Amino acid sequence: MAGGLVALLDDVAALARLAAASVDDVAAAAGKASAKAAGVVVDDAAVTPRYVHGVDPKRELSIIGRIAKGSLRNKLLFILPGLLLLSQFLPWVLTPLLMVGGAYLCFEGAEKIWHVLHPHHEKKEEPSSAQGPEAEQHVVSGAIRTDFILSTEIMVISLNEVADEPFLSRAVILVLVALGITALVYGVVALIVRMDDVGVSLAARTSTLAQRTGTLLVKAMPKVLSALAVIGIAAMLWVGGHIILVGTDDLGWHTIYGWVHDLEHWIADVMPFADGAFEWVANTAASAVLGLLIGAVVVLLVNGVKRLRRGKASAAH
């Protein structure tokens, strides 16, 4: 028994040395995996600031910190172990699972466009700071639940990029991705929600430069948030569409990807001087269009189901 334990510890030590020896490769893979999840990251950064809207400025960073801890807990304790087990024992599930996440991204992007084209007025809620600690906890819990969906998408996309790595490398890479993306998203969110306060503080100083900088920050923040929202929608459609485009090809349905591939080759023949830039644009545009089409279909289906439920509820009364 003791000999077996010593052998096991030796194996663990060997794995640790192997991981340490390949730390540069792991870091590079983690960076690549994180980059592929950019669309969801932008969406996460665009969504989260609304949870502290109307909150006492003194509580903003505390609430963001609680949401960030919940996000990290989601990733490390629930999502990461589940995905690692799937990748080890049921790797064929990852592509369909990734495509489901891609379809959800397409739905999210198309739904946001739908709301812009068909605005509806909702009852304005009282800020959580005015409702007490229970309301604040409700806001934090809701944000963490939403983050769970976005974090799952991030981790699935990241795992798909390193699916061929050994188990230990996959685990280390995903931990790095979880830590890095959580720090990035909520660091950016904290910066965004406090930037107007920084601007007000600078505008109150005696220095002319400080006043101008502060005024610029205060005026710029609404535009930054609006731009971030638009970029988030575009990124969701592009990333979601591309996930489905590649997934269909991996599953043996080569027609759609073949069309896009032919388009890339045609552009390369017409504009060889572009060195692949227009080919990337074509692939991105095609992915976004596919994402919009798929998202629109899902939005129509979801709205149809909602109408049916409302009709049944009205008939029951």
Side-chain angles (χ1 to χ4, degrees):
M1 184 71 176
L5 179 60
V6 171
L8 176 61
L9 292 176
D10 285 342
D11 289 341
V12 171
L15 287 173
R17 287 193 296 271
L18 179 62
S22 60
V23 66
D24 289 340
D25 293 337
V26 169
K32 180 183 177 183
S34 301
K36 280 289 185 178
V40 193
V41 171
V42 173
D43 182 46
D44 210 352
V47 166
T48 307
R50 77 167 187 257
Y51 290 108
V52 293
H53 178 70
V55 170
D56 182 349
K58 295 180 181 178
R59 298 289 305 150
E60 287 176 344
L61 293 182
S62 174
I63 291 174
I64 291 171
R66 291 170 63 188
I67 297 173
K69 289 178 182 177
S71 173
L72 196 57
R73 184 169 60 248
N74 284 342
K75 293 182 181 76
L76 296 181
L77 298 185
F78 302 108
I79 300 170
L80 191 150
L83 291 182
L84 284 175
L85 289 174
L86 285 177
S87 68
Q88 188 68 21
F89 299 107
L90 296 171
W92 59 269
V93 173
L94 290 179
T95 296
L97 186 62
L98 192 64
M99 292 176 70
V100 170
Y104 179 79
L105 278 177
C106 296
F107 165 71
E108 283 278 291
E111 187 182 41
K112 286 178 171 63
I113 294 175
W114 174 267
H115 286 317
V116 171
L117 298 176
H118 300 84
H120 59 280
H121 301 286
E122 298 179 352
K123 184 179 178 181
K124 188 175 182 180
E125 295 183 357
E126 188 180 9
S128 60
S129 58
Q131 300 176 36
E134 291 184 2
E136 183 177 299
Q137 178 58 40
H138 179 71
V139 168
V140 172
S141 299
I144 292 174
R145 283 194 298 271
T146 300
D147 176 90
F148 187 89
I149 297 173
L150 296 173
S151 292
T152 300
E153 293 169 2
I154 289 170
M155 299 303 285
V156 171
I157 292 170
S158 302
L159 176 61
N160 190 63
E161 289 301 305
V162 294
D164 295 331
E165 297 288 336
F167 183 84
L168 181 61
S169 294
R170 262 178 284 151
V172 172
I173 289 166
L174 290 182
V175 168
L176 291 176
V177 169
L179 293 172
I181 285 185
T182 303
L184 173 63
V185 168
Y186 290 97
V188 170
V189 169
L191 183 64
I192 288 172
V193 300
R194 295 310 300 269
M195 191 58 68
D196 54 347
D197 296 327
V198 174
V200 170
S201 176
L202 288 173
R205 296 187 179 184
T206 56
S207 168
T208 303
L209 179 60
Q211 290 176 356
R212 289 178 178 175
T213 303
T215 302
L216 180 63
L217 285 176
V218 172
K219 291 182 177 179
M221 285 317 298
K223 296 179 181 179
V224 170
L225 290 173
S226 297
L228 190 60
V230 173
I231 293 170
I233 292 172
M236 281 187 289
L237 294 175
W238 160 48
V239 174
H242 189 70
I243 288 171
I244 294 174
L245 180 67
V246 174
T248 56
D249 189 62
D250 290 341
L251 293 176
W253 307 328
H254 306 299
T255 303
I256 301 176
Y257 194 86
W259 291 341
V260 176
H261 197 58
D262 290 342
L263 176 62
E264 290 180 87
H265 277 296
W266 179 79
I267 291 176
D269 292 338
V270 173
M271 292 178 285
F273 55 85
D275 195 26
F278 286 103
E279 295 171 62
W280 180 86
V281 170
N283 188 293
T284 300
S287 298
V289 170
L290 178 63
L292 180 59
L293 292 174
I294 293 172
V297 170
V298 178
V299 167
L300 290 175
L301 290 174
V302 169
N303 287 338
V305 171
K306 287 180 178 178
R307 282 195 294 270
L308 285 175
R309 287 182 176 178
R310 283 196 296 265
K312 290 181 179 179
S314 299
H317 291 295

